[in-house]
Amino acid sequence: MYPFLRMARVMALARRQPELGLFDTHVSQLICWPWDLDPWVELNNGRTLTLYDLGRLPLARRTGVERVLRERGWGLTVAGSSTRYRKRVTMFMRLTMRTRCLGWDHRFLYMEQSMWRGEDCASQVLIRSAVISKAGIVPPRELARAMGVAEEGPELPGWVKAWTEAEAQRPWPPAR
């Protein structure tokens, strides 16, 4: 089940936190609860992606993205992701999550998120998001314009460009 109560909590906290610039990092704290575990008693890989939602949503609120989306009747959806898992996360571990926008291209926004236990990074995800409307995908430059920032974002890091190029070569729809 989706963690709606956790989402309400992080959004309430974000409402009381200072605003962030579009490329600033939102830092949040979380705990791995028993219902986040898989049969091997560690954080479930699917739940990891769900918990990363709890970093992106407050970032959207604190940067003003959420307000612009609501005003325009737009939404934000995940259009792709690539996750690295490096350290086990077990029950009751406390983690620090870092979430930031890296930039955009002609179609998508790119965000980097990571979960840390002290100095150790447990996982990192690259999220490709699309701004959507009833008419389809909204070019990110329109979101930037609505937010009053430069329509051309910063150059994406090389590793993000390489991932997008690899994704472009992947067949769609996949073979049956």
Side-chain angles (χ1 to χ4, degrees), residues 73-118:
W74 295 342
L76 195 60
T77 189
V78 172
S81 65
S82 176
T83 309
R84 282 182 163 179
Y85 300 94
R86 292 297 183 261
K87 299 283 183 185
R88 288 185 79 212
V89 175
T90 56
M91 192 165 34
F92 303 124
M93 275 189 179
R94 295 179 180 275
L95 301 162
T96 299
M97 186 187 315
R98 301 184 185 286
T99 304
R100 67 186 179 123
C101 177
L102 297 171
W104 53 87
D105 60 19
H106 67 287
R107 266 186 102 185
F108 301 111
L109 298 168
Y110 296 89
M111 286 167 272
E112 175 189 30
Q113 296 182 269
S114 53
M115 288 185 195
W116 296 79
R117 180 143 194 254

Side-chain angles (χ1 to χ4, degrees), residues 18-24 26 56-68 101 147:
E19 290 183 6
L20 290 174
L22 192 55
F23 302 104
D24 290 341
H26 170 73
R56 287 191 310 280
L57 294 169
L59 177 70
R61 175 164 284 171
R62 293 182 67 197
T63 58
V65 168
E66 178 194 42
R67 178 185 47 77
V68 171
C101 177
M147 293 186 66

